[in-house]
Amino acid sequence: MTAWKILLTDGLEENGVSVLRQSAQVDDRPGISADELLTIIGDYDALIVRGRTKVTQAVLDAGKNLKVVGRSGVGVDNIDLKAAKGCGVAVVNAPVATTLAVAELTFGMMLGMVREIPRADASMKAGKWLKKELEGSELYGKTLGIIGYGRIGAAVGRRAAAFDMKVVAYDPLLSADQIRERGADPASLDEVYQQADLITVHVPLTDQTRGMLGSEAFGKMKKGVRIVCAARGGVIDESALLAALESGQVAGAALDVFATEPPGDSALVKHARVIATPHVGAQTVEAQQRAAADISAEVLAALRGDPLRWKVA
Ligand code: NAD
């Protein structure tokens, strides 16, 4: 048996751990401190993290035997990709494992907003019966604008079609035909703003997308639009969103991600017409098991020198 050593620092579902153990020694150190990680990383051939562990230049420098860093999930914001490249360490992730979980949360948030499910539940728990006040609206017949029509965007689009919504999508990296093949009408960003009753964002955080939903964008949208974001904090300008909620330009927002996480004492989170969740998009049993299976196979492939499906750096 090969003497590979693999370190887990943010936990991993048992299905992934048992696959790794067939080929390697696996040490599980959930919650390990940054300092301790620096002292032990030199012993390991591979490191598997989620979003907590910061894989910095210092960690990569100290990882003298490190060949691969695996992210069980999608976001690699916590991994210094440039430093990894410089140190010759491959970075792999599990980008498809969590698609359905995020798409379903997005749908839950849309339904939660239009039917005011959180407020209805809170009122019942407070002993109230607000039947008359709690008149919502339907998704049926509404136009859903999707910004970023990749894996998650398209999965949301397919579900919206099943609800008889009209789906318009903006994605400058896809052709109009690719968007049509994925079941939406291609549109410019301005057309999405002008037509959509609800807008959901599924783009990565880049220089182009940072703050893309700001005061100018909200000003172009239909009055009373509803916004969903389960992509990345920073894509929405949070103070502009708060102002648009206060003015009534935006009727409601549902947010799973925040510019700072946790967001602390945030007026946006506390706003009566905001539904907020603590970045739980990928937090389903199924998604985490899929991610564990995918990342374990990918990390072992990297150690064996086999072709990689999801090499980020
Ligand atoms: P993906 O790469 O499949 O899709 C992203 C799409 O955005 C691509 O089609 C790309 O062309 C498009 N895009 C890039 N720049 C754009 C721009 N300026 N305007 C419009 N479109 C643009 O990624 P995905 O798997 O669908 O993930 C989408 C987002 O969801 C990512 O930000 C990811 O980090 C986030 N995510 C969040 C959670 C969560 O827990 N809430 C979990 C998984 C993924």
Side-chain angles (χ1 to χ4, degrees):
M1 161 153 165
T2 331
W4 287 319
K5 289 183 77 179
I6 301 177
L7 178 64
L8 314 177
T9 54
D10 294 338
L12 191 71
E13 274 58 26
E14 193 45 47
N15 62 309
V17 177
S18 63
V19 168
L20 295 172
R21 287 219 161 103
Q22 287 166 22
S23 308
Q25 176 188 321
V26 181
D27 292 339
D28 190 10
R29 299 289 306 274
I32 186 174
S33 72
D35 284 346
E36 208 183 340
L37 177 59
L38 282 178
T39 64
I40 67 165
I41 191 66
D43 288 343
Y44 292 92
D45 300 282
L47 168 66
I48 299 181
V49 301
R50 286 193 169 111
R52 184 198 69 92
T53 302
K54 304 270 177 279
V55 185
T56 58
Q57 175 89 58
V59 171
L60 291 155
D61 285 341
K64 296 290 174 218
N65 292 316
L66 207 54
K67 292 154 192 78
V68 55
V69 174
R71 160 68 158 106
S72 187
V74 191
V76 286
D77 335 33
N78 53 318
I79 302 170
D80 187 335
L81 298 180
K82 213 170 137 206
K85 211 167 177 182
C87 294
V89 174
V91 178
V92 292
N93 68 350
V96 300
T98 53
T99 301
L100 296 177
V102 183
E104 290 191 5
L105 178 73
T106 301
F107 235 83
M109 289 180 132
M110 295 202 307
L111 288 165
M113 266 195 295
V114 295
R115 299 307 303 268
E116 296 193 69
I117 297 170
R119 184 173 160 229
D121 175 64
S123 67
M124 291 290 289
K125 288 189 166 67
K128 296 180 193 155
W129 187 256
L130 299 184
K131 184 177 166 101
K132 286 219 171 70
E133 275 182 44
L134 285 164
E135 185 179 60
S137 58
E138 293 170 4
L139 294 180
Y140 172 85
K142 301 293 189 304
T143 297
L144 175 63
I146 303 184
I147 301 176
Y149 210 56
R151 285 177 291 258
I152 298 171
V156 171
R158 285 195 295 276
R159 281 151 184 77
F163 270 67
D164 290 324
M165 299 182 83
K166 178 176 159 55
V167 182
V168 292
Y170 168 71
D171 192 319
L173 303 181
L174 296 177
S175 69
D177 280 346
Q178 284 174 310
I179 292 178
R180 274 190 213 99
E181 277 159 22
R182 295 178 189 192
D185 290 339
S188 68
L189 201 48
D190 278 355
E191 284 166 344
V192 168
Y193 293 155
Q194 284 152 16
Q195 295 172 20
D197 302 297
L198 297 98
I199 292 178
T200 182
V201 193
H202 300 288
V203 295
L205 181 63
T206 64
D207 289 344
Q208 286 73 42
T209 62
R210 188 180 298 279
M212 81 185 288
L213 290 200
S215 52
E216 197 188 330
F218 293 127
K220 290 179 179 173
M221 294 175 193
K222 278 189 183 178
K223 190 169 171 63
V225 66
R226 290 185 165 91
I227 307 289
V228 184
C229 186
R232 272 292 175 272
V235 172
I236 291 187
D237 175 337
E238 294 178 353
S239 12
L241 176 58
L242 185 59
L245 282 157
E246 299 282 337
S247 75
Q249 174 66 9
V250 170
L255 307 170
D256 185 47
V257 289
F258 303 89
T260 305
E261 293 183 357
D265 188 23
S266 154
L268 190 59
V269 169
K270 288 183 178 159
H271 196 282
R273 281 180 284 114
V274 170
I275 297 175
T277 50
H279 202 146
V280 292
Q283 293 286 90
T284 65
V285 172
E286 296 86 348
Q288 292 304 320
Q289 287 182 351
R290 252 182 250 125
D294 288 355
I295 205 62
S296 302
E298 194 72 350
V299 163
L300 290 176
L303 290 173
R304 290 184 186 120
D306 290 345
L308 298 175
R309 289 181 292 176
W310 300 303
K311 190 166 187 294
V312 188

